[in-house]
Amino acid sequence: MENIGFDIAEIVEKELIRIEFQPILSLKLKKAVGVEALCRGINPADRTVISPITLFSEAKRHNLVLALDRLCRKTAMREFANITGHDNLVLFLNFDASVLDNVIDEDKSWTKIYADEAGLKYQNIAVEILESKIENNSKLEAITEKFSALGMFVVLDDFGALHSNLNRLVISKPDIIKIDRSLIHNVSQSYYQQSIIKSIIDLGKKIGSLTLAEGVESKEDVMKCHELGADLFQVFFFSKPKSRADLQDFCCKTMMDGLSYEIKDYMAVNLEQKRFQHANFENILNRMLDEVVNTQEHDFINVADEFIKTHKDIECVYFLNEDGVQVGDTICGFEIPESEHSLFHPSKTGTDHSLKEYFYFINSLNLLSYYTDPYISLATGMLCRTMAKRFETEDKTFILCIDFIDSRACNLL
């Protein structure tokens, strides 16, 4: 048997637990709104610190996980109660997944008892539940209902990792969704991560849940998560976990003030880049349109074919009639390998586009033009944005559609 150098039973009996707090920040409010309690063991032999992973692994080996988990909760709440101004903060408590059965089955709530002993209000406590470790949906529902009934916040931890699924959001009805750090790490460099995180954030807004970006380590990722709409941040970039005494002296306002100026500059530059891209695409479309309107319908394709050769931003060009049916084959800016089994291929004359977003809005709302968000092109499988504009020639109405390669997004793929 491995000699780990400490007696877990003695640690539990003598309550040799040290609590550190990781600040939870709101950039919008420019202040800390909560802290997550992180437990460390203290080796009774030499007073060295034992990591939580090692501590709970040894507790599991000796069937002491429940006792250790309760000790960590009790100690965390006692320490939190001694923080000056704790009434204005929320204490985030982690539960070991293996003790959740006991949380449901026990007649009394030890979390409630420890909160009462510490003199804490239930609304100042957030219970973090790792939903991927709960196999039974009814169990997850029972756990979340129990803490919600007490008035505590329910936090769905590590969402987006492992086996997370949207159905768990419906069941747990979380107050806060904690986005897993694996999605957050280097998000500023990945369009895929940005898209997934944005979807989680948008969903959170619709169901009434705040979103928390967990384990953010760089300034660039902080700014990107803020841009995507995250409400709260657990930011190692700002602060590592601190003891209660160090937390009292922690002031993040100066750093947050500095970062807020950088965020404003970042957002201004980003907005300007989007405006420039839009203006550039619109200019290209209008120049092609100027050439098209002076020709007959059967010459549209020839004009587009010549025009596209000098514009590397264009992926595809095609024309629709007033019913949304394509007139002529799609013209592509580069050669696309043909495959009869491929999902992606340029559309042919006669293809019905009447349910496409850009046609629907132009036709239904009588708009002159429409510009889509980035999406996967069915012609090439690449990210593109379609700019469509209605025009008239020969007493007929047509829509010119240009799929532009979204290089800003493609560079992050």
Side-chain angles (χ1 to χ4, degrees), residues 194-208:
Q194 293 170 21
S195 300
I196 294 170
I197 290 172
K198 185 67 166 65
S199 296
I200 295 173
I201 290 171
D202 288 345
L203 181 59
K205 291 177 180 178
K206 290 177 181 177
I207 65 175

Side-chain angles (χ1 to χ4, degrees), residues 132-179:
S132 61
K133 295 293 182 67
I134 304 175
E135 297 178 359
N136 189 300
N137 284 344
S138 60
K139 184 190 299 184
L140 175 61
E141 186 174 16
I143 292 168
T144 55
E145 284 183 353
K146 181 165 187 172
F147 289 116
S148 291
L150 289 172
M152 298 179 183
F153 291 101
V154 171
V155 181
L156 212 54
D157 196 11
D158 290 353
F159 191 79
L162 298 176
H163 305 295
S164 298
N165 62 71
L166 297 179
N167 187 45
R168 293 299 180 91
L169 291 177
V170 177
I171 295 168
S172 61
K173 302 179 179 65
D175 300 293
I176 300 171
I177 301 170
K178 208 170 186 182
I179 304 173

Side-chain angles (χ1 to χ4, degrees), residues 48-320:
T48 55
V49 176
I50 305 167
S51 73
I53 294 177
T54 303
L55 193 66
F56 274 89
S57 294
E58 185 66 5
K60 184 177 182 179
R61 203 158 65 90
H62 290 273
N63 197 29
L64 288 172
V65 172
L66 179 58
L68 177 61
D69 190 83
R70 287 177 178 171
L71 173 60
C72 289
R73 274 183 275 164
K74 179 175 72 172
T75 308
M77 285 189 264
R78 186 172 59 208
E79 284 285 290
F80 178 72
N82 289 319
I83 296 175
T84 302
H86 71 266
D87 281 346
N88 296 317
L89 298 172
V90 175
L91 172 64
F92 287 68
L93 291 172
N94 269 300
F95 276 76
D96 187 276
S98 62
V99 309
L100 289 175
D101 281 332
N102 301 87
V103 170
I104 300 174
D105 297 335
E106 62 189 17
D107 294 327
K108 53 188 176 181
S109 170
W110 287 102
T111 306
K112 177 180 182 299
I113 291 171
Y114 298 148
D116 291 338
E117 289 177 352
L120 297 178
K121 298 175 182 176
Y122 305 143
Q123 58 263 39
N124 288 102
I125 298 174
V127 176
E128 297 189 28
I129 297 172
L130 192 61
E131 54 88 17
S132 61
K133 295 293 182 67
I134 304 175
E135 297 178 359
N136 189 300
N137 284 344
S138 60
K139 184 190 299 184
L140 175 61
E141 186 174 16
I143 292 168
T144 55
E145 284 183 353
K146 181 165 187 172
F147 289 116
S148 291
L150 289 172
M152 298 179 183
F153 291 101
V154 171
V155 181
L156 212 54
D157 196 11
D158 290 353
F159 191 79
L162 298 176
H163 305 295
S164 298
N165 62 71
L166 297 179
N167 187 45
R168 293 299 180 91
L169 291 177
V170 177
I171 295 168
S172 61
K173 302 179 179 65
D175 300 293
I176 300 171
I177 301 170
K178 208 170 186 182
I179 304 173
D180 185 68
R181 66 183 63 204
S182 64
L183 279 176
I184 298 297
H185 182 63
N186 283 336
V187 62
S188 59
Q189 303 301 314
S190 172
Y191 181 78
Y192 287 119
Q193 289 173 233
Q194 293 170 21
S195 300
I196 294 170
I197 290 172
K198 185 67 166 65
S199 296
I200 295 173
I201 290 171
D202 288 345
L203 181 59
K205 291 177 180 178
K206 290 177 181 177
I207 65 175
S209 301
L210 297 175
T211 46
L212 190 157
E214 178 184 14
V216 192
E217 297 180 351
S218 72
K219 178 171 59 179
E220 292 75 19
D221 288 346
V222 171
M223 292 193 289
K224 178 54 67 174
C225 287
H226 175 78
E227 179 189 355
L228 295 173
D231 299 293
L232 304 173
F233 295 80
Q234 193 167 347
V235 186
F236 290 97
F237 167 70
F238 274 132
S239 170
K240 295 180 179 179
K242 297 179 178 295
S243 66
R244 175 169 58 85
D246 290 337
L247 187 69
Q248 297 284 170
D249 298 328
F250 173 65
C251 179
C252 60
K253 188 176 186 306
T254 301
M255 276 189 290
M256 294 183 77
D257 282 343
L259 183 60
S260 68
Y261 287 113
E262 291 191 61
I263 289 176
K264 290 174 184 177
D265 290 341
Y266 166 81
M267 298 292 281
V269 170
N270 199 28
L271 182 60
E272 186 58 32
Q273 288 176 343
K274 289 180 179 179
R275 285 176 176 170
F276 177 80
Q277 184 188 63
H278 183 278
N280 180 49
F281 290 171
E282 190 172 37
N283 180 51
I284 292 172
L285 180 140
N286 285 333
R287 282 192 283 121
M288 181 183 286
L289 199 58
D290 286 342
E291 297 187 22
V292 167
V293 294
N294 295 319
T295 64
Q296 296 182 341
E297 180 181 338
H298 63 265
D299 287 327
F300 287 174
I301 302 303
N302 293 331
V303 171
D305 192 29
E306 287 300 314
F307 188 91
I308 202 173
K309 292 175 182 177
T310 58
H311 293 82
K312 62 180 181 179
D313 290 327
I314 297 178
E315 179 195 67
C316 296
V317 177
Y318 45 102
F319 297 87
L320 310 181

